[in-house]
Amino acid sequence: MKTQVAIIGGGPSGLLLSQLLNRAGVATVVLERASREHVLSRIRAGVLETGTVEMLREAGVGDRMAREGIPHEGCYLTDDDLMVRINFKELTGTSVMVYGQTEVTTDLYAAQDAIGATILHGVEDVVIGDADGDAPHVMFTHGGQRTRLDCDYVVGCDGFHGVSRATIPQDKRRAFERVYPFGWLGVLSRTRPAHEELIYANSSNGFALASMRSETLSRYYVQVPLTDKVEEWSDARFWAVLKSCLPSEVADAMQTGPSIEKSIAPLRSFVNEPLRWGRLFLVGDAAHIVPPTGAKGLNLAVSDVHYLYQGLIDAVTRGDTRGIDAYSDRALVRIWKAMRFSWQMTTTLHRFDGEDSFAAQMRKATLRHLAQSETARRDLAENYIGLPY
Ligand code: APR
Ligand code: PHB
């Protein structure tokens, strides 16, 4: 097999990149380990920055999002009963779009099908070869057949546990990591959202987030010790803890019901530098992980694609490598800023086991400062709606 750009991973990064390249006439093959159903069953954050919305439109997948996505002009940060509204629209002139990652991925698959893109599912034992030479290739097993795919470039969009990052020799990469001592227990329920806007809650009982997918579908999270198991969390226990973290006026009016999904995810900050080794590039979760507190995971994957795709088109069609040569440095500047914001949101809103009494006071003071200072709220809003590309 032969193609111009081999893409490992058919999550949002791989699909968006493939779509933008195909629309410019560049040939791609997407190699995805899981089935399409499996990829679409993952529940992930759904807050899209303006830049992400624009990129999806540019890729020709903006129509359903425009109809079904919910624009949000603000969100709340709370501290027990203190509610601080961050008015994105007033502070920055723009808003965010609430549209689930699953919906984004569904739309990308449909668009790729419509243009006849090659996406192979159930691909096993991917091995990237000669990435540091002029003629890279990818070996993989599909339908019991070991296959060789020759290409000009390989892009690793295969998430945190993929093979692409691990292909780069240890002495050619550097990892920066912070692992947080808690996870998020998430629940999806067919209930009216607790509030029309997202609520990020700091409280004496820990962190909680009230989010949503639609007017009838809610998504909630509470912080839990990493040692907790989902089985230990009955619906009743979850709702009780969630309510104890939210402002009482919200908790009292909240609709509860049976959970339709419940899972625990760890929180981590991670960056791999650089994002390139020879003809191999890393994009999205393959290169970096943020804790979900700032909703930056999907948005960062999209900004990576933004920095890479035109460069790949120029390299493949005209032999002009300036864009791909600049990719790693350009993308990393924005990645580190989003890392800082996600880390700051995480430390401002979570209780750390074993922390001293000073730490809780710092969180309270930060929330009180936000309530009083428009400058502080604008800084938060600018980061939340997405820093410029
Ligand atoms: N071979 C082929 N495919 C692989 C391999 C492999 N060895 N390893 C992983 N994959 C696939 C996974 O099955 C997954 O579908 O790569 C895909 C990576 O997708 P994501 O993890 O969604 O990463 P990305 O596309 O970069 O999206 C980043 O989505 O996952 C969220 O939290 C993440 O919001 C962030 C955004
Ligand atoms: C979600 O709706 O799942 C969600 C929203 C915002 C976040 C994280 C998760 O910061």
Side-chain angles (χ1 to χ4, degrees), residues 342-364:
S342 308
W343 158 82
Q344 192 175 52
M345 284 281 279
T346 304
T347 44
T348 301
L349 294 165
H350 291 76
R351 198 187 52 209
F352 286 64
D353 269 355
E355 68 184 16
D356 55 18
S357 54
F358 191 78
Q361 294 302 331
M362 288 301 99
R363 288 197 294 277
K364 281 197 171 303

PDB file of all heavy atoms in Angstrom, residues 342-364:
ATOM      1  N   SER A 342      -4.936  24.875  32.626  1.00  0.00           N
ATOM      2  CA  SER A 342      -5.605  23.674  33.153  1.00  0.00           C
ATOM      3  C   SER A 342      -5.082  23.319  34.544  1.00  0.00           C
ATOM      4  O   SER A 342      -5.830  22.877  35.414  1.00  0.00           O
ATOM      5  CB  SER A 342      -5.360  22.468  32.235  1.00  0.00           C
ATOM      6  OG  SER A 342      -5.687  22.781  30.930  1.00  0.00           O
ATOM      7  N   TRP A 343      -3.796  23.510  34.735  1.00  0.00           N
ATOM      8  CA  TRP A 343      -3.177  23.244  36.039  1.00  0.00           C
ATOM      9  C   TRP A 343      -3.693  24.240  37.078  1.00  0.00           C
ATOM     10  O   TRP A 343      -4.042  23.876  38.210  1.00  0.00           O
ATOM     11  CB  TRP A 343      -1.649  23.338  35.873  1.00  0.00           C
ATOM     12  CG  TRP A 343      -0.883  23.610  37.130  1.00  0.00           C
ATOM     13  CD1 TRP A 343      -0.504  22.707  38.071  1.00  0.00           C
ATOM     14  CD2 TRP A 343      -0.400  24.896  37.577  1.00  0.00           C
ATOM     15  NE1 TRP A 343       0.179  23.341  39.082  1.00  0.00           N
ATOM     16  CE2 TRP A 343       0.258  24.677  38.795  1.00  0.00           C
ATOM     17  CE3 TRP A 343      -0.455  26.186  37.053  1.00  0.00           C
ATOM     18  CZ2 TRP A 343       0.861  25.718  39.516  1.00  0.00           C
ATOM     19  CZ3 TRP A 343       0.128  27.222  37.768  1.00  0.00           C
ATOM     20  CH2 TRP A 343       0.772  26.975  38.977  1.00  0.00           C
ATOM     21  N   GLN A 344      -3.806  25.515  36.665  1.00  0.00           N
ATOM     22  CA  GLN A 344      -4.278  26.549  37.581  1.00  0.00           C
ATOM     23  C   GLN A 344      -5.741  26.310  37.979  1.00  0.00           C
ATOM     24  O   GLN A 344      -6.096  26.405  39.162  1.00  0.00           O
ATOM     25  CB  GLN A 344      -4.142  27.912  36.897  1.00  0.00           C
ATOM     26  CG  GLN A 344      -4.331  29.089  37.801  1.00  0.00           C
ATOM     27  CD  GLN A 344      -4.044  30.376  37.042  1.00  0.00           C
ATOM     28  OE1 GLN A 344      -4.595  30.624  35.960  1.00  0.00           O
ATOM     29  NE2 GLN A 344      -3.170  31.185  37.575  1.00  0.00           N
ATOM     30  N   MET A 345      -6.585  25.992  36.995  1.00  0.00           N
ATOM     31  CA  MET A 345      -7.996  25.687  37.276  1.00  0.00           C
ATOM     32  C   MET A 345      -8.079  24.484  38.214  1.00  0.00           C
ATOM     33  O   MET A 345      -8.910  24.445  39.128  1.00  0.00           O
ATOM     34  CB  MET A 345      -8.749  25.352  35.981  1.00  0.00           C
ATOM     35  CG  MET A 345      -9.079  26.530  35.117  1.00  0.00           C
ATOM     36  SD  MET A 345     -10.519  27.453  35.719  1.00  0.00           S
ATOM     37  CE  MET A 345     -11.853  26.441  35.055  1.00  0.00           C
ATOM     38  N   THR A 346      -7.222  23.494  37.980  1.00  0.00           N
ATOM     39  CA  THR A 346      -7.247  22.273  38.794  1.00  0.00           C
ATOM     40  C   THR A 346      -6.849  22.581  40.231  1.00  0.00           C
ATOM     41  O   THR A 346      -7.523  22.166  41.183  1.00  0.00           O
ATOM     42  CB  THR A 346      -6.316  21.203  38.190  1.00  0.00           C
ATOM     43  OG1 THR A 346      -6.723  20.977  36.839  1.00  0.00           O
ATOM     44  CG2 THR A 346      -6.372  19.894  38.956  1.00  0.00           C
ATOM     45  N   THR A 347      -5.774  23.353  40.410  1.00  0.00           N
ATOM     46  CA  THR A 347      -5.312  23.618  41.772  1.00  0.00           C
ATOM     47  C   THR A 347      -6.231  24.617  42.492  1.00  0.00           C
ATOM     48  O   THR A 347      -6.362  24.577  43.710  1.00  0.00           O
ATOM     49  CB  THR A 347      -3.853  24.124  41.802  1.00  0.00           C
ATOM     50  OG1 THR A 347      -3.699  25.094  40.766  1.00  0.00           O
ATOM     51  CG2 THR A 347      -2.866  23.027  41.559  1.00  0.00           C
ATOM     52  N   THR A 348      -6.902  25.490  41.725  1.00  0.00           N
ATOM     53  CA  THR A 348      -7.811  26.456  42.343  1.00  0.00           C
ATOM     54  C   THR A 348      -9.089  25.794  42.844  1.00  0.00           C
ATOM     55  O   THR A 348      -9.761  26.318  43.731  1.00  0.00           O
ATOM     56  CB  THR A 348      -8.195  27.555  41.318  1.00  0.00           C
ATOM     57  OG1 THR A 348      -7.009  28.198  40.893  1.00  0.00           O
ATOM     58  CG2 THR A 348      -9.134  28.589  41.896  1.00  0.00           C
ATOM     59  N   LEU A 349      -9.439  24.644  42.263  1.00  0.00           N
ATOM     60  CA  LEU A 349     -10.771  24.094  42.541  1.00  0.00           C
ATOM     61  C   LEU A 349     -10.782  22.755  43.280  1.00  0.00           C
ATOM     62  O   LEU A 349     -11.846  22.311  43.697  1.00  0.00           O
ATOM     63  CB  LEU A 349     -11.538  23.956  41.222  1.00  0.00           C
ATOM     64  CG  LEU A 349     -11.879  25.277  40.497  1.00  0.00           C
ATOM     65  CD1 LEU A 349     -12.302  25.028  39.070  1.00  0.00           C
ATOM     66  CD2 LEU A 349     -12.967  26.031  41.250  1.00  0.00           C
ATOM     67  N   HIS A 350      -9.628  22.093  43.439  1.00  0.00           N
ATOM     68  CA  HIS A 350      -9.635  20.762  44.065  1.00  0.00           C
ATOM     69  C   HIS A 350      -9.009  20.763  45.447  1.00  0.00           C
ATOM     70  O   HIS A 350      -8.039  21.469  45.693  1.00  0.00           O
ATOM     71  CB  HIS A 350      -8.883  19.737  43.199  1.00  0.00           C
ATOM     72  CG  HIS A 350      -9.572  19.398  41.921  1.00  0.00           C
ATOM     73  ND1 HIS A 350      -9.583  20.241  40.842  1.00  0.00           N
ATOM     74  CD2 HIS A 350     -10.265  18.298  41.539  1.00  0.00           C
ATOM     75  CE1 HIS A 350     -10.261  19.685  39.859  1.00  0.00           C
ATOM     76  NE2 HIS A 350     -10.695  18.509  40.246  1.00  0.00           N
ATOM     77  N   ARG A 351      -9.543  19.906  46.280  1.00  0.00           N
ATOM     78  CA  ARG A 351      -8.955  19.657  47.598  1.00  0.00           C
ATOM     79  C   ARG A 351      -7.907  18.558  47.427  1.00  0.00           C
ATOM     80  O   ARG A 351      -8.158  17.542  46.791  1.00  0.00           O
ATOM     81  CB  ARG A 351     -10.068  19.166  48.519  1.00  0.00           C
ATOM     82  CG  ARG A 351      -9.769  19.259  49.987  1.00  0.00           C
ATOM     83  CD  ARG A 351     -10.868  18.596  50.781  1.00  0.00           C
ATOM     84  NE  ARG A 351     -11.099  17.239  50.263  1.00  0.00           N
ATOM     85  CZ  ARG A 351     -12.251  16.600  50.316  1.00  0.00           C
ATOM     86  NH1 ARG A 351     -13.292  17.162  50.852  1.00  0.00           N
ATOM     87  NH2 ARG A 351     -12.368  15.387  49.836  1.00  0.00           N
ATOM     88  N   PHE A 352      -6.689  18.809  47.915  1.00  0.00           N
ATOM     89  CA  PHE A 352      -5.621  17.808  47.818  1.00  0.00           C
ATOM     90  C   PHE A 352      -5.521  17.090  49.160  1.00  0.00           C
ATOM     91  O   PHE A 352      -5.400  17.756  50.198  1.00  0.00           O
ATOM     92  CB  PHE A 352      -4.284  18.475  47.479  1.00  0.00           C
ATOM     93  CG  PHE A 352      -4.163  18.935  46.048  1.00  0.00           C
ATOM     94  CD1 PHE A 352      -5.004  19.932  45.546  1.00  0.00           C
ATOM     95  CD2 PHE A 352      -3.228  18.370  45.187  1.00  0.00           C
ATOM     96  CE1 PHE A 352      -4.909  20.359  44.217  1.00  0.00           C
ATOM     97  CE2 PHE A 352      -3.127  18.785  43.864  1.00  0.00           C
ATOM     98  CZ  PHE A 352      -3.964  19.784  43.385  1.00  0.00           C
ATOM     99  N   ASP A 353      -5.559  15.773  49.152  1.00  0.00           N
ATOM    100  CA  ASP A 353      -5.442  14.999  50.395  1.00  0.00           C
ATOM    101  C   ASP A 353      -4.170  15.376  51.133  1.00  0.00           C
ATOM    102  O   ASP A 353      -3.107  15.478  50.531  1.00  0.00           O
ATOM    103  CB  ASP A 353      -5.384  13.491  50.076  1.00  0.00           C
ATOM    104  CG  ASP A 353      -6.783  12.900  50.079  1.00  0.00           C
ATOM    105  OD1 ASP A 353      -7.725  13.643  50.411  1.00  0.00           O
ATOM    106  OD2 ASP A 353      -6.916  11.714  49.729  1.00  0.00           O
ATOM    107  N   GLY A 354      -4.282  15.571  52.411  1.00  0.00           N
ATOM    108  CA  GLY A 354      -3.080  15.841  53.211  1.00  0.00           C
ATOM    109  C   GLY A 354      -2.616  17.281  53.119  1.00  0.00           C
ATOM    110  O   GLY A 354      -1.566  17.633  53.666  1.00  0.00           O
ATOM    111  N   GLU A 355      -3.371  18.142  52.416  1.00  0.00           N
ATOM    112  CA  GLU A 355      -2.938  19.544  52.290  1.00  0.00           C
ATOM    113  C   GLU A 355      -3.041  20.248  53.655  1.00  0.00           C
ATOM    114  O   GLU A 355      -3.783  19.811  54.537  1.00  0.00           O
ATOM    115  CB  GLU A 355      -3.808  20.263  51.258  1.00  0.00           C
ATOM    116  CG  GLU A 355      -5.256  20.445  51.714  1.00  0.00           C
ATOM    117  CD  GLU A 355      -6.162  21.064  50.656  1.00  0.00           C
ATOM    118  OE1 GLU A 355      -5.777  21.092  49.481  1.00  0.00           O
ATOM    119  OE2 GLU A 355      -7.262  21.521  51.025  1.00  0.00           O
ATOM    120  N   ASP A 356      -2.308  21.364  53.781  1.00  0.00           N
ATOM    121  CA  ASP A 356      -2.399  22.105  55.040  1.00  0.00           C
ATOM    122  C   ASP A 356      -3.628  23.024  55.013  1.00  0.00           C
ATOM    123  O   ASP A 356      -4.279  23.180  53.974  1.00  0.00           O
ATOM    124  CB  ASP A 356      -1.102  22.894  55.298  1.00  0.00           C
ATOM    125  CG  ASP A 356      -0.748  23.815  54.143  1.00  0.00           C
ATOM    126  OD1 ASP A 356      -1.636  24.112  53.328  1.00  0.00           O
ATOM    127  OD2 ASP A 356       0.425  24.243  54.072  1.00  0.00           O
ATOM    128  N   SER A 357      -3.935  23.631  56.148  1.00  0.00           N
ATOM    129  CA  SER A 357      -5.137  24.458  56.227  1.00  0.00           C
ATOM    130  C   SER A 357      -4.997  25.724  55.370  1.00  0.00           C
ATOM    131  O   SER A 357      -5.981  26.340  54.974  1.00  0.00           O
ATOM    132  CB  SER A 357      -5.405  24.826  57.687  1.00  0.00           C
ATOM    133  OG  SER A 357      -4.242  25.430  58.233  1.00  0.00           O
ATOM    134  N   PHE A 358      -3.771  26.091  55.063  1.00  0.00           N
ATOM    135  CA  PHE A 358      -3.489  27.282  54.251  1.00  0.00           C
ATOM    136  C   PHE A 358      -4.041  27.113  52.835  1.00  0.00           C
ATOM    137  O   PHE A 358      -4.597  28.045  52.242  1.00  0.00           O
ATOM    138  CB  PHE A 358      -1.964  27.480  54.212  1.00  0.00           C
ATOM    139  CG  PHE A 358      -1.527  28.786  53.652  1.00  0.00           C
ATOM    140  CD1 PHE A 358      -1.578  29.947  54.420  1.00  0.00           C
ATOM    141  CD2 PHE A 358      -1.040  28.872  52.348  1.00  0.00           C
ATOM    142  CE1 PHE A 358      -1.154  31.157  53.906  1.00  0.00           C
ATOM    143  CE2 PHE A 358      -0.619  30.089  51.829  1.00  0.00           C
ATOM    144  CZ  PHE A 358      -0.674  31.237  52.602  1.00  0.00           C
ATOM    145  N   ALA A 359      -3.909  25.907  52.295  1.00  0.00           N
ATOM    146  CA  ALA A 359      -4.287  25.652  50.898  1.00  0.00           C
ATOM    147  C   ALA A 359      -5.765  25.960  50.652  1.00  0.00           C
ATOM    148  O   ALA A 359      -6.119  26.597  49.649  1.00  0.00           O
ATOM    149  CB  ALA A 359      -3.974  24.203  50.532  1.00  0.00           C
ATOM    150  N   ALA A 360      -6.616  25.540  51.554  1.00  0.00           N
ATOM    151  CA  ALA A 360      -8.059  25.784  51.377  1.00  0.00           C
ATOM    152  C   ALA A 360      -8.357  27.278  51.414  1.00  0.00           C
ATOM    153  O   ALA A 360      -9.211  27.774  50.675  1.00  0.00           O
ATOM    154  CB  ALA A 360      -8.840  25.056  52.467  1.00  0.00           C
ATOM    155  N   GLN A 361      -7.621  28.004  52.257  1.00  0.00           N
ATOM    156  CA  GLN A 361      -7.815  29.459  52.326  1.00  0.00           C
ATOM    157  C   GLN A 361      -7.386  30.122  51.020  1.00  0.00           C
ATOM    158  O   GLN A 361      -7.994  31.105  50.578  1.00  0.00           O
ATOM    159  CB  GLN A 361      -7.038  30.051  53.512  1.00  0.00           C
ATOM    160  CG  GLN A 361      -7.529  29.603  54.879  1.00  0.00           C
ATOM    161  CD  GLN A 361      -8.998  29.930  55.124  1.00  0.00           C
ATOM    162  OE1 GLN A 361      -9.529  30.896  54.592  1.00  0.00           O
ATOM    163  NE2 GLN A 361      -9.678  29.104  55.902  1.00  0.00           N
ATOM    164  N   MET A 362      -6.330  29.607  50.398  1.00  0.00           N
ATOM    165  CA  MET A 362      -5.867  30.173  49.118  1.00  0.00           C
ATOM    166  C   MET A 362      -6.939  29.995  48.045  1.00  0.00           C
ATOM    167  O   MET A 362      -7.172  30.875  47.221  1.00  0.00           O
ATOM    168  CB  MET A 362      -4.563  29.493  48.661  1.00  0.00           C
ATOM    169  CG  MET A 362      -3.333  29.855  49.471  1.00  0.00           C
ATOM    170  SD  MET A 362      -2.986  31.645  49.434  1.00  0.00           S
ATOM    171  CE  MET A 362      -3.689  32.140  50.996  1.00  0.00           C
ATOM    172  N   ARG A 363      -7.600  28.826  48.050  1.00  0.00           N
ATOM    173  CA  ARG A 363      -8.672  28.602  47.064  1.00  0.00           C
ATOM    174  C   ARG A 363      -9.816  29.590  47.298  1.00  0.00           C
ATOM    175  O   ARG A 363     -10.321  30.208  46.374  1.00  0.00           O
ATOM    176  CB  ARG A 363      -9.184  27.164  47.152  1.00  0.00           C
ATOM    177  CG  ARG A 363      -8.206  26.145  46.603  1.00  0.00           C
ATOM    178  CD  ARG A 363      -8.880  24.809  46.324  1.00  0.00           C
ATOM    179  NE  ARG A 363      -9.350  24.155  47.534  1.00  0.00           N
ATOM    180  CZ  ARG A 363      -8.593  23.402  48.336  1.00  0.00           C
ATOM    181  NH1 ARG A 363      -7.308  23.226  48.056  1.00  0.00           N
ATOM    182  NH2 ARG A 363      -9.097  22.831  49.408  1.00  0.00           N
ATOM    183  N   LYS A 364     -10.189  29.728  48.544  1.00  0.00           N
ATOM    184  CA  LYS A 364     -11.280  30.658  48.875  1.00  0.00           C
ATOM    185  C   LYS A 364     -10.918  32.089  48.466  1.00  0.00           C
ATOM    186  O   LYS A 364     -11.738  32.807  47.902  1.00  0.00           O
ATOM    187  CB  LYS A 364     -11.552  30.637  50.387  1.00  0.00           C
ATOM    188  CG  LYS A 364     -12.381  29.446  50.829  1.00  0.00           C
ATOM    189  CD  LYS A 364     -12.968  29.675  52.218  1.00  0.00           C
ATOM    190  CE  LYS A 364     -13.972  28.615  52.588  1.00  0.00           C
ATOM    191  NZ  LYS A 364     -15.071  28.499  51.638  1.00  0.00           N
TER     192      LYS A 364
END
